[in-house]
Amino acid sequence: MSEERVKMRKQLGLLEGVAIILGIIFGSGIFISPKEVLEKTGSVWGALSVWAVCGVLATLGAMSYAELGTALAKSGGDYHYINEAYGSLPAFLYLWDANLVFVPSTNAIMALTFANNLLEPIFPNCPIDPLSTKLIAAVTICFLTFINAYDVRFTTRIQNVFMFTKISALVIIIVGGIVWMARGGVENFDDGWAGTKTSISDWSVAFYSGIFSYSGWNYLNFMTEELRDPYVNLPRAIYLSLPLVTAIYILANVSYMAVLGPSGVRATKAIAVDFAGSALGSMKWAMPTLVAIAILGGLSVHIMTSSRMCFAGARNGHMPALLAHINVKCMSPMPSLVFLMLISLLMLIPSNLTSLITYCTVVESFFTTLSCSAVLWLRYKQPDIVRPIKVSLWMPVVFVTICTVLLVVPIVSEPVAVLAGAFITIAGVPVYLLLVRSKPEPVVQLSNKFTLLCQKLFLSSVEDKED
């Protein structure tokens, strides 16, 4: 199937672009990572410093991605940039890890967090069976996959509603914290550096938890082909979103610290719900609902954008051809959506959420660093390509340098996560050599026959409906 025949419809504007970025970033991270960041840094000001630095780091990365997204204006995001800069094998390994590790892991984390925030207020004093949480998470993933497959335009309209709901939840937290501090509740900041840890490994894990909360700033690049006027709307969406996210995250964490204090943040299982119980009085009932909607919206947009990465890989021959198909009625990459849904359901099996976060963040950070370094490599390799946006070189240099250091430290602090990620990545090499590079005829023929069979079944079902 030729690339010219397989294209997505341009139906996303600036508002939808901002909603996608905010929709992913304002997912589950800000409601689960504050506890981990505080525990690993040991102090209030240490934790707030991590949130600020992670915001600056995400902004530098997003600026670099603005150059990549406008110079290489195709869907697929990191996959497309790695393929263009470093070739077929690294791009395939990115797809391999994305589909087996960090995309389904992130879906599972967000779905489980949604389930926890849904059940905690309903059963406040009862132990919740983990199986119940996982079942709700599984139903949520399946339902949102169906919504994304049904209609892209409908999904993006929902994202706009989700975006304002998420911002409302965080604004309520920020205003509640400001009112609390205005009434004199600032004692938790008097000796804010007390208890600060000196372990580099602990701080690196804190940074990974913070980075996880900011992750998603690059996901609009997965949908470049669906943006109207991407050379204008992609960078504008980035410029509007990242400073806003950084400010909201820092202020939200200040509110958490002011109201709950370090001990309260460490003890919480649902930080926004506990915050509402202490600071909002009779309005505390609204917070669990807003948080649940916020996380639901983040999961929905993550499912939508990550399916485009899978679609782009299949279009280039790095995934089964079936995954490059588009449902012509709904204009959505339905096979890719279903495939990622099934893998995400498998990721609900592990029980340790913190290890899952570290595991997927380490792997994703490696490829994000590789993608951002493509700015530097393409400046040398392809100096003459048109770059509607050309960032200062210090931005990708600083981003790549800091991320490289952060990648080295977890080898000591989280060796299991690093080794697991390395093992899965290396396991993709023989798969690439056997099924992609050599393209054995039996495999290709079998894939083509299966694809044709699915096409015939789909067309026959459409004809039956029309009759």
Side-chain angles (χ1 to χ4, degrees):
M1 186 174 292
S2 66
E3 183 176 329
E4 288 73 17
R5 290 174 56 194
V6 186
K7 290 187 178 180
M8 303 295 291
R9 181 187 296 159
K10 290 184 178 294
Q11 52 190 329
L12 306 178
L14 177 60
L15 179 60
E16 288 79 14
V18 173
I20 286 171
I21 295 176
L22 296 183
I24 292 182
I25 298 179
F26 291 152
S28 59
I30 188 59
F31 304 116
I32 58 177
S33 292
K35 175 180 179 179
E36 183 74 9
V37 172
L38 179 63
E39 286 181 344
K40 295 301 180 182
T41 56
S43 66
V44 171
W45 288 114
L48 294 176
S49 299
V50 168
W51 287 104
V53 172
C54 286
V56 173
L57 191 62
T59 302
L60 293 178
M63 295 290 288
S64 302
Y65 271 65
E67 175 174 324
L68 291 170
T70 52
L72 307 173
K74 288 185 179 181
S75 293
D78 299 65
Y79 163 76
H80 177 53
Y81 310 144
I82 294 172
N83 189 49
E84 187 72 24
Y86 301 114
S88 182
L89 176 58
F92 174 81
L93 293 178
Y94 171 80
L95 277 182
W96 175 262
D97 274 326
N99 290 321
L100 294 182
V101 183
F102 53 83
V103 167
S105 294
T106 302
N107 287 344
I109 292 166
M110 297 176 79
L112 289 169
T113 307
F114 167 75
N116 284 327
N117 279 273
L118 184 67
L119 293 174
E120 285 284 346
I122 299 174
F123 306 103
N125 300 315
C126 300
I128 298 173
D129 187 351
L131 181 60
S132 301
T133 304
K134 292 183 179 182
L135 287 175
I136 292 175
V139 171
T140 302
I141 291 173
C142 294
F143 174 72
L144 292 178
T145 299
F146 167 77
I147 293 295
N148 275 277
Y150 178 72
D151 188 356
V152 175
R153 185 177 294 275
F154 174 72
T155 306
T156 55
R157 287 173 180 171
I158 293 177
Q159 294 306 333
N160 294 340
V161 177
F162 281 149
M163 176 184 69
F164 291 112
T165 303
K166 296 170 188 183
I167 292 177
S168 298
L170 291 168
V171 167
I172 290 173
I173 291 173
I174 291 169
V175 172
I178 291 174
V179 172
W180 185 277
M181 289 184 287
R183 293 174 176 174
V186 294
E187 64 277 1
N188 293 319
F189 301 99
D190 291 340
D191 192 10
W193 291 104
T196 302
K197 295 183 179 180
T198 58
S199 169
I200 296 177
S201 62
D202 282 338
W203 276 77
S204 70
V205 175
F207 272 107
Y208 271 114
S209 295
I211 290 171
F212 172 78
S213 297
Y214 282 97
S215 64
W217 48 263
N218 57 333
Y219 272 57
L220 183 60
N221 293 58
F222 289 165
M223 305 184 69
T224 305
E225 290 179 20
E226 296 173 70
L227 275 175
R228 296 191 298 269
D229 198 1
Y231 301 121
V232 175
N233 286 329
L234 176 63
R236 282 183 180 176
I238 291 172
Y239 300 153
L240 288 171
S241 302
L242 268 299
L244 179 63
V245 169
T246 303
I248 289 176
Y249 271 13
I250 293 174
L251 291 174
N253 276 277
V254 169
S255 296
Y256 288 151
M257 297 297 181
V259 174
L260 299 177
S263 58
V265 172
R266 290 188 181 98
T268 185
K269 292 183 179 179
I271 192 167
V273 176
D274 290 345
F275 172 90
S278 300
L280 301 185
S282 61
M283 290 294 294
K284 65 181 181 180
W285 61 267
M287 186 54 62
T289 304
L290 292 174
V291 171
I293 294 174
I295 297 170
L296 195 67
L299 177 57
S300 177
V301 75
H302 191 264
I303 289 172
M304 177 174 66
T305 53
S306 58
S307 66
R308 273 59 176 182
M309 171 266 301
C310 187
F311 161 81
R315 187 174 60 181
N316 288 344
H318 285 167
M319 298 287 287
L322 177 64
L323 300 181
H325 284 224
I326 297 172
N327 184 299
V328 293
K329 182 180 179 181
C330 303
M331 291 306 298
S332 63
M334 190 174 292
S336 293
L337 284 163
V338 173
F339 171 75
L340 289 174
M341 177 193 74
L342 296 175
I343 303 297
S344 299
L345 294 177
L346 291 177
M347 285 294 177
L348 293 173
I349 297 174
S351 57
N352 191 333
L353 199 61
T354 301
S355 296
L356 197 59
I357 291 172
T358 305
Y359 177 46
C360 71
T361 307
V362 167
V363 178
E364 186 173 13
S365 295
F366 168 77
F367 283 105
T368 301
T369 305
L370 188 64
S371 297
C372 199
S373 70
V375 175
L376 306 173
W377 180 241
L378 289 173
R379 290 279 186 97
Y380 168 76
K381 182 183 177 183
Q382 301 181 27
D384 299 326
I385 63 172
V386 178
R387 292 176 170 85
I389 293 177
K390 196 171 184 178
V391 299
S392 299
L393 281 179
W394 69 267
M395 292 183 180
V397 168
V398 171
F399 181 87
V400 171
T401 301
I402 294 176
C403 286
T404 301
V405 173
L406 290 175
L407 285 169
V408 172
V409 175
I411 295 175
V412 177
S413 60
E414 295 288 339
V416 175
V418 174
L419 289 175
F423 176 78
I424 291 177
T425 304
I426 294 171
V429 175
V431 177
Y432 170 81
L433 296 175
L434 290 173
L435 300 182
V436 178
R437 185 174 180 179
S438 61
K439 293 189 182 296
E441 284 302 316
V443 175
V444 174
Q445 291 174 4
L446 182 62
S447 176
N448 290 339
K449 288 180 179 180
F450 181 70
T451 300
L452 289 172
L453 176 61
C454 291
Q455 285 179 323
K456 290 178 181 178
L457 291 173
F458 175 76
L459 290 174
S460 64
S461 65
V462 172
E463 291 173 357
D464 292 340
K465 289 181 181 179
E466 291 176 351
D467 293 339

